[in-house]
Amino acid sequence: MICAAGASRRMAPDDKLMLPLQGRPLLRHMAKRVLEISVPTLVALPPEPHPRWHAVKDLPLRKISYPESAEGLSGTLRAAVADLPPTVTHLCVVLADLPELAPVDFAQLFEHRRQYADCLIWR
């Protein structure tokens, strides 16, 4: 799950997730990186209409807005977990403002998950 529902208040009036990185919005850059690992991906966005929806409109992501996101990241996480299908056993939370994350980082995380299956949190 890519967390991109925040208000970006600290950077106001700019929206940090819409700032360009390598010629595209940071949110799109991160979404494409996550999509490289070929796992079903959800992106939590602010309510429509919002420019972030346009930034990822053509990407194969499940796009959703939760009213609870108005409370902050904890509201988004609570709503997303409650919305998961019962067959989902793990959730990888990706903050959309970490452009240094690469597919290799996710691969390492997933390998740690396999090695230490009894843990509740991997980071």
Side-chain angles (χ1 to χ4, degrees), residues 20-43:
L21 178 66
Q22 299 175 350
R24 59 187 176 198
L26 175 58
L27 174 57
R28 185 174 182 86
H29 172 84
M30 288 302 300
K32 289 183 77 73
R33 286 240 166 133
V34 171
L35 288 170
E36 287 181 45
I37 60 175
S38 299
V39 296
T41 303
L42 157 72
V43 59

Side-chain angles (χ1 to χ4, degrees), residues 6-121:
S8 194
R9 286 185 199 98
R10 291 186 298 258
M11 286 209 53
D14 294 324
D15 180 346
K16 68 181 168 187
L17 298 183
M18 294 303 293
L19 293 175
L21 178 66
Q22 299 175 350
R24 59 187 176 198
L26 175 58
L27 174 57
R28 185 174 182 86
H29 172 84
M30 288 302 300
K32 289 183 77 73
R33 286 240 166 133
V34 171
L35 288 170
E36 287 181 45
I37 60 175
S38 299
V39 296
T41 303
L42 157 72
V43 59
L45 297 163
E48 286 188 274
H50 194 283
R52 292 181 197 167
W53 285 80
H54 181 72
V56 296
K57 72 177 179 180
D58 62 327
L59 298 179
L61 302 161
R62 180 173 172 224
K63 300 156 194 85
I64 195 157
S65 178
Y66 297 111
E68 296 88 344
S69 293
E71 301 169 27
L73 182 57
S74 63
T76 300
L77 292 173
R78 190 175 61 253
V81 168
D83 191 36
L84 289 174
T87 56
V88 173
T89 59
H90 295 81
L91 176 67
C92 180
V93 177
V94 179
L95 303 180
D97 61 352
L98 299 175
E100 297 294 321
L101 283 178
V104 67
D105 298 313
F106 297 108
Q108 290 173 349
L109 178 66
F110 296 157
E111 179 56 30
H112 279 100
R113 192 266 174 238
R114 282 186 285 279
Q115 288 180 5
Y116 306 99
D118 292 338
C119 292
L120 294 177
I121 298 175

